[in-house]
Amino acid sequence: MGEDEDTRKINHSFLRDHNYVTEGCLDIITTSNADIISTVEFNHTGDLLATGDKGGRVVIFQREPETKNEPYSQGEYNVYSTFQSHEPEFDYLKSLEIEEKINRIKWLPQQNAAHSLLSTNDKTIKLWKINERDKRPEGYNLKDEEGRLKDLCTVTSLQVPVLKPMDLMVEVSPRRIFSNGHTYHVNSISVNSDCETYMSADDLRINLWHLAITDRSFNIVDIKPANMEDLTEVITAAEFHPHHCNLFVYSSSKGSLRLCDMRASALCDRHCKLYEEPEDPSNRSFFSEIISSVSDVKFSHSGRYMLTRDYLTVKVWDLNMETKPLETYQVHDYLRNKLCSLYENDCIFDKFECAWNGSDSVIMTGAYNNFFRMFDRNTKRDVTLEASRESSKPRAILKPRRVCVGGKRRKDDISVDSLDFTKKILHTAWHPTENIIAIAATNNLYIFQDKVNSEMH
């Protein structure tokens, strides 16, 4: 990836000069298995960042506002609130344990002073409200200072209650619980652009919910066959179109995408568009179907493109072109010769996520050895970076990493045989408007931002 004069002039490119600055590693948990981060999500302004973990906890970080005394403090995220979203349960009818692990978090567009988000484990979706209190009412007529009801006989006069300042308190309260909607494990939730409905997807079905109604949902996709022995694929991810409330897409374990229009029929089993890349017979192997399974799908902010991640690649699809992807980027093609060992240690079933930057010009996804990859769609340049305590100090510039397959090795190259497959970046998120990214590396949350972006503040 040589530097050249043309790419230096592209001001909107996040891959301009590799100047990725560490904002800090937020060690929000211990090293127990329950504390491994399982999802990361910015809200619509980027001022809040939520993480969920395998222990059912949600931790919300807030971006610090810029101050005159600390002009360079903006961009730093500090813990804003922590709460237990889900608890472990047991389904006695099926003799099945239900994990508390948070599979997905989705923020709702802010409509008042409070913030709202949806969180889900395998079975139950919850709507949470987050608001602040910095004043408390005093001078009740019917209650004493400790909140107990007074004896009415002792009330001889009336007074006007007043609001007194108090220390800021962040209150998180459950507003709705959406349960009993799924037989199988929920893998996706997506809020509709109408801000009134959302959908949830499991392996075989997709349900449509109204945010105000908890006791019923509408089944909009059902791919369960009459005989389960005839089952050939499962749903892996689903998302609403960012602008058209009637459109949504879902991906499958066979590597295909189906775009559905809810105006066509109540049950969207018949898709309106099928996006599928024909397989090259010469590359066919025992692992072909496993590595072609789509683990994540994301609409671009413009709504024109879709980004998908399978085991070895990320692909950009144009909504108007169904026959093949518009762009294909190799994430870690050097693993193609190691699929057998990756199958034996179950790594081949890892589900990596992908993300767009705010202008849809750069895409990001994770890899092994705590590496994450970025691809600039305009310049076709790419970079591999590492999220680790050893290489990351506050305000330090991250150095690009390179994996060496064979032959001559440069000084900082790492051999493909030296990769640590227990360290994996599965969950990433990109700030909606700025070049700030959040990387979940096991039980650590790293936040990086473009050096130029940080110097502007």
Side-chain angles (χ1 to χ4, degrees):
M1 290 179 57
E3 296 287 351
D4 58 71
E5 200 167 330
D6 293 335
T7 53
R8 285 201 189 101
K9 295 177 182 177
I10 300 176
N11 292 327
H12 64 271
S13 171
F14 195 37
L15 302 184
R16 181 171 47 253
D17 292 312
H18 306 319
N19 289 338
Y20 311 97
V21 178
T22 310
E23 276 302 326
C25 166
L26 302 171
D27 190 5
I28 58 175
I29 45 268
T30 60
T31 55
S32 69
N33 187 58
D35 299 323
I36 294 174
I37 299 173
S38 54
T39 184
V40 184
E41 190 81 13
F42 280 102
N43 74 338
H44 293 76
T45 63
D47 292 332
L48 296 176
L49 172 66
T51 67
D53 65 23
K54 288 190 173 182
R57 272 194 314 170
V58 172
V59 181
I60 301 174
F61 300 89
Q62 183 182 47
R63 191 180 188 189
E64 292 300 311
E66 184 178 6
T67 63
K68 292 182 180 179
N69 297 331
E70 298 178 276
Y72 298 104
S73 66
Q74 186 173 8
E76 295 181 0
Y77 287 79
N78 294 317
V79 175
Y80 180 64
S81 180
T82 302
F83 63 95
Q84 189 71 29
S85 174
H86 287 70
E87 300 281 357
E89 301 174 47
F90 190 81
D91 187 336
Y92 291 97
L93 292 176
K94 298 180 180 177
S95 296
L96 185 69
E97 289 186 9
I98 302 171
E99 289 185 348
E100 66 271 36
K101 172 192 169 188
I102 307 297
N103 292 341
R104 284 286 186 271
I105 290 175
K106 290 294 178 184
W107 290 91
L108 274 62
Q110 189 175 3
Q111 297 178 329
N112 49 43
H115 298 275
S116 299
L117 63 80
L118 290 167
S119 64
T120 182
N121 65 351
D122 286 341
K123 298 291 182 183
T124 305
I125 305 154
K126 296 183 180 182
L127 173 63
W128 296 90
K129 182 179 180 182
I130 304 107
N131 55 8
E132 297 179 352
R133 271 209 308 159
D134 59 359
K135 294 181 177 63
R136 66 169 176 266
E138 290 186 1
Y140 284 109
N141 290 286
L142 302 178
K143 293 180 181 178
D144 60 21
E145 292 180 358
E146 295 180 2
R148 293 175 298 198
L149 286 174
K150 294 180 180 177
D151 185 350
L152 295 180
C153 299
T154 63
V155 179
T156 57
S157 62
L158 296 177
Q159 58 182 337
V160 178
V162 294
L163 291 174
K164 294 287 185 68
M166 60 176 282
D167 291 337
L168 180 66
M169 179 186 296
V170 180
E171 294 182 327
V172 180
S173 54
R175 306 297 292 177
R176 308 268 194 283
I177 297 178
F178 305 87
S179 56
N180 303 320
H182 288 275
T183 305
Y184 306 97
H185 294 174
V186 177
N187 56 47
S188 303
I189 50 175
S190 178
V191 180
N192 203 345
S193 58
D194 62 11
C195 299
E196 292 184 356
T197 57
Y198 75 93
M199 70 176 174
S200 57
D202 64 25
D203 293 341
L204 299 179
R205 297 187 179 99
I206 300 177
N207 292 339
L208 180 69
W209 302 80
H210 193 283
L211 285 163
I213 302 172
T214 61
D215 60 352
R216 64 182 180 274
S217 61
F218 297 95
N219 180 227
I220 53 176
V221 172
D222 188 347
I223 66 169
K224 183 180 179 181
N227 185 353
M228 285 295 281
E229 292 181 358
D230 298 330
L231 184 67
T232 58
E233 61 182 337
V234 295
I235 298 168
T236 55
E239 186 174 71
F240 268 119
H241 191 279
H243 309 306
H244 302 297
C245 62
N246 54 290
L247 294 178
F248 68 91
V249 67
Y250 68 91
S251 58
S252 86
S253 57
K254 277 195 167 182
S256 60
L257 303 172
R258 291 174 174 84
L259 186 70
C260 300
D261 190 340
M262 291 191 292
R263 296 173 301 182
S265 64
L267 191 62
C268 300
D269 286 351
R270 294 185 178 179
H271 50 269
C272 59
K273 286 190 176 183
L274 173 65
Y275 303 86
E276 205 167 36
E277 186 176 22
E279 185 185 13
D280 184 354
S282 61
N283 292 331
R284 178 78 182 169
S285 72
F286 171 78
F287 306 106
S288 294
E289 190 166 324
I290 301 173
I291 64 174
S292 66
S293 176
V294 176
S295 57
D296 195 20
V297 57
K298 296 277 174 61
F299 276 106
S300 63
H301 295 83
S302 67
R304 172 69 186 271
Y305 305 103
M306 296 179 295
L307 177 65
T308 63
R309 171 69 204 263
D310 56 40
Y311 191 67
L312 295 177
T313 67
V314 281
K315 297 174 182 177
V316 176
W317 296 81
D318 189 321
L319 259 67
N320 299 325
M321 187 168 73
E322 301 173 59
T323 53
K324 63 178 181 178
L326 191 66
E327 302 156 21
T328 300
Y329 302 95
Q330 299 294 333
V331 178
H332 38 212
D333 197 50
Y334 46 79
L335 296 182
R336 196 173 291 274
N337 294 328
K338 293 187 171 293
L339 294 179
C340 188
S341 59
L342 290 166
Y343 178 80
E344 290 173 355
N345 63 18
D346 284 344
C347 284
I348 200 169
F349 302 105
D350 286 334
K351 294 176 172 57
F352 293 93
E353 297 174 9
C354 50
W356 296 92
N357 73 335
S359 61
D360 299 335
S361 60
V362 183
I363 57 182
M364 172 176 63
T365 191
Y368 293 106
N369 210 72
N370 276 0
F371 289 165
F372 59 98
R373 304 268 284 139
M374 290 182 174
F375 304 90
D376 191 314
R377 299 180 59 213
N378 297 321
T379 64
K380 304 305 178 185
R381 299 173 68 208
D382 64 272
V383 68
T384 301
L385 297 173
E386 182 180 7
S388 68
R389 284 184 173 276
E390 292 75 20
S391 62
S392 304
K393 295 179 181 179
R395 302 288 175 185
I397 296 177
L398 299 187
K399 294 181 180 179
R401 301 302 304 270
R402 184 173 176 268
V403 178
C404 176
V405 179
K408 293 183 179 180
R409 286 178 57 184
R410 299 178 190 172
K411 180 181 177 182
D412 296 327
D413 284 0
I414 182 170
S415 168
V416 66
D417 297 318
S418 309
L419 295 175
D420 188 344
F421 292 102
T422 63
K423 296 179 179 179
K424 56 193 80 171
I425 305 292
L426 301 178
H427 314 288
T428 60
W430 206 309
H431 190 287
T433 56
E434 299 180 32
N435 284 334
I436 298 174
I437 57 176
I439 306 293
T442 316
N443 63 328
N444 291 320
L445 176 67
Y446 293 87
I447 296 178
F448 306 107
Q449 69 174 349
D450 189 0
K451 182 180 178 183
V452 176
N453 182 67
S454 64
E455 287 176 347
M456 289 171 58
H457 294 289

